[in-house]
Structures are given as C-alpha cells and as structure tokens.
Amino acid sequence: MREIIPVSLGTRSYDIHVGPDLLPRVAELIKPLARGMIAVVTDENVAALHLPGLLQSLREAGLSVGALVVPAGEASKSFAELARVCDGLLDLELDRSSLVIALGGGVIGDLAGFAAGILKRGIAVVQVPTTLLAQVDSSVGGKTGINTRHGKNLVGLFHQPRLVIADISSLQSLPARQMRAGYAEIVKYGALGDARFFAWLEQHGSEALAGDRAALSHAVAQSCRMKAAIVGRDERESGERALLNLGHTFGHALEAACGFSDRLLHGEAVAIGMVLAFRLSERLALAPAGSADRLARHLAAVGLPTQLSALAPIRTDAEELVRLMSHDKKVSAGALTFVLARGIGEAFTTQSVPHAELLAVLSTD
Ligand code: GLY
C-alpha cells in the first residue's frame, strides 16, 4: 500500500513515501542519506507517542542520534524557540554532514525545517509529518518559517527536505477535529485542480476520515501527487503555486477575526474560505451556479464549517474582514490575489475583484 511520489526539482529532488506502518521503517529509509549525526526535533506530545521507538530504531541501525523536544503549539514558531533549537542542534555538535528529522505536525516541520535551513548555512532535513495537515500540505514543498508580532510565517525560507515520510498509521492518535481540519486541505486539491478526485472524495472521503487505510492512503498520496506536481513547476510561488492558497485569503481573515485561537482551526478557516471563493466565483459569473453548494455539501457532510455564521458569536463585519484580508502576506504591490474558480477543479488567480462584489459575498453568507 506504500506509494512513492517524486518531487522533481533538479538537484533538490526528493521522494514522498505515503502509507501505513512507515515510522518503524524511518531508519531504513533515511540510512542512504545519513552520513553523520542525526537530530530528531519534535514536540512534547509527539515525543510521548513516537520518540523512544524512533530513537531506538535509529540506534539499532547503527546511527548516532540526539533529540530536541520543544513545547507543543503554535507559540513555538517564535524567534526565541528558533534560537533554542539552533543552539540545541549546535550542542549536539551537528555539522554539514548531519541530518535533522522533523517529527511532528506543521509547527515542528516549519520550525525544524527553518533551523536546518540556516544552521551552518543549511543542513539536510527529513520531514516525518504526523498530522493530516502536515502530511498533505506543509511537509511538502520546502516552505519553512516562524511567526512574528507582525503576522504568521513572515520570517522563513524555502528549504526543501531530502525525503518526506508520511505514515498514515500515526494519524490514529489525532483528535477527530484535527483530522477534519486536515481533510479540508485534501478537498482543496480536488476543488482547485482535479474534479475526478473531488468526486472520489464525495464517495470515499468519509471512509478516509474514519481511518480506512486504503482510502486514507489514496487521499494523502493523491494530495501529495498534486502538490508535488505544482511545486515541481513553480517552487517559489511565482505563479501556479499560488493556487494552493485556494480558500486561504478569506481563511486568513477569519483566523485573524478569531485571534488565531482554537475557536477556528486553520483547516476549518480554509473550508469556509473555499466556499466563499466559489460563491464569489459564481457571483462574478465565472463558475456555474451550484458549484459552491456542491463544495459546501461535501465539506458539511464530513463535519466542516462552511458559513461565516459558524463563527458566531464572533462578529464578521464584511468591511472588517476585507481589512483583515489586506494584512495577509499574499498581498503584493498593494493588491490582494484571489484564487477563484471556473468550476470544481478549475481554479485560477486574479487580482481583479470588484470591491462591491467582495463585500456582497461577505455580507450574504
Ligand atoms: N501551503 C501552500 C504552499 O505550500 O505553497
């Protein structure tokens, strides 16, 4: 059931392994890459579940290993924690032949990937994502970074991993709400570029979410295939990669309105944001009537929010949301880039959205 998906980036090419029971095989899979010390960076929650087993298997494979455990949660994506991780890696005497393993969700992937990217001007990193969101999105494509008081992910760099190992068995311990939030990013791939995959998700998405191994493997692998293809064509987001932001411009404003709290998880914001993007596309007569309802029906069927009213009692004044949207880092030369669609699986980017239409969509949802 294991799938190997190549990401083609010339000398920075790598494979993504997707399937069940891969964590016990990490040592075997990284051995060809391991020339020196290996440091596992993880958080305290993931450490409790997976760190002892991983360290033992790395040692049994004859590898020199160390580990750094950071506090769980978004607050670890900070300058202070980045400094602690860099110093911790230097304490472990990592050099340029060493390898960092980022074991965890998006926070760990971003933080450890960033630290590896700047340590000694760049050492190799292997991403071992343990959340659905990280498996289908953040561990692939090389984006790394931290948050500052100015916003999320505003400091970082592109540092492609040497390998990604997505063990779907590690998702068994993930809370259902986190699974659903990650699933929103899977739906995003169908909605942005693959109508057949979207139709497959309508049929089998709930099986994947319920933990059916074959369905979950397929959903994760197909998402990674789509992301790999897009990143392979546009590594630095000068064009097509921006399609991966479907639902994110709206979503970012909603997360900001909720103070980036657990009130609204990133994937939940993306779910509402995608529906808003489709509603706007219909309003502008770009997408056929019914596309937004079809998308919303599927998201709601798996328990994701699809409407602004789901945020009540948080106020979602349309003008205020537009103001929050314009603080997004995706603003370029003062203009917001929207990902809209001509239908399910046919997304495109545009900067020309009449303000009145935008306000109308945000007022009527
Ligand atoms: N998460 C969007 C990207 O990697 O480009």
Side-chain angles (χ1 to χ4, degrees), residues 133 137 181 184-193 237 240-256 260 264-281 295 299 305-308 311 321 324-325 328-330 336-341 343 346-350 358 361-362 365:
L133 189 92
D137 187 17
E185 298 277 359
I186 295 180
V187 174
K188 181 188 77 177
Y189 292 105
L192 77 87
E237 200 169 311
E240 188 185 358
R241 187 165 178 168
L243 296 179
L244 298 174
N245 297 328
L246 174 63
H248 283 62
T249 304
F250 288 112
H252 177 86
L254 304 181
E255 284 183 274
F260 294 98
L264 187 70
L265 301 180
H266 174 72
E268 295 168 341
V270 169
I272 301 174
M274 287 192 291
V275 175
L276 286 169
F278 271 75
R279 295 224 181 281
L280 183 56
S281 304
L295 176 61
L299 292 167
T306 60
Q307 287 185 300
L308 293 174
L311 304 185
L321 289 178
L324 291 170
M325 284 165 88
D328 194 354
K329 72 173 177 313
K330 295 183 279 297
L336 263 172
T337 300
F338 288 88
V339 185
L340 299 183
E346 295 175 66
F348 66 98
T349 57
T350 179
L358 180 58
V361 159
L362 290 168
D365 190 52

